[in-house]
Amino acid sequence: FQQWYSSSMKVICMWLADRLDLQLHIYQLKTLIKIVKKTYRDFRLQGVLEGTLNSKTYDTVHSRLTVEEATVSVTDAGGLQGITMKDSDE
């Protein structure tokens, strides 16, 4: 599971890196937020260690999506419709 999680986050990180100079479309952002949050939660429930879950790759993906989310919230009021990178238990 650890290898599966790591490779999943690496693919998302590489995809985002390829589009570093482009702003994500609202639908891309909403979909990626849902995928990343669900992947993180599901693999945490499967017993993947915190060190693996909170890797540098995950931090990079999380940071990029948080910045994109902030940009959308400033430019497009209500565009994300309650979808956010912030966990509901925070």
Side-chain angles (χ1 to χ4, degrees):
F1 280 121
Q2 291 177 358
Q3 187 177 22
W4 188 7
Y5 173 80
S6 295
S7 64
S8 298
M9 283 299 136
K10 202 173 290 184
V11 167
I12 294 171
C13 188
M14 287 176 14
W15 189 86
L16 288 170
D18 289 344
R19 289 149 185 81
L20 193 57
D21 56 343
L22 301 172
Q23 183 177 353
L24 297 178
H25 188 275
I26 187 77
Y27 297 111
Q28 290 174 320
L29 181 59
K30 288 166 81 171
T31 303
L32 283 172
I33 288 173
K34 287 180 181 181
I35 289 170
V36 169
K37 286 177 70 173
K38 179 140 180 62
T39 302
Y40 183 91
R41 287 184 184 142
D42 287 353
F43 280 91
R44 184 178 59 192
L45 287 173
Q46 291 298 326
V48 174
L49 301 174
E50 289 293 322
T52 304
L53 289 173
N54 296 317
S55 65
K56 177 109 173 103
T57 305
Y58 173 77
D59 289 341
T60 302
V61 169
H62 188 276
S63 296
R64 170 74 188 272
L65 294 179
T66 303
V67 168
E68 291 283 344
E69 176 186 340
T71 303
V72 167
S73 68
V74 170
T75 59
D76 185 13
L80 289 175
Q81 301 168 343
I83 297 172
T84 177
M85 280 303 294
K86 189 174 184 177
D87 284 334
S88 58
D89 56 348
E90 287 182 0

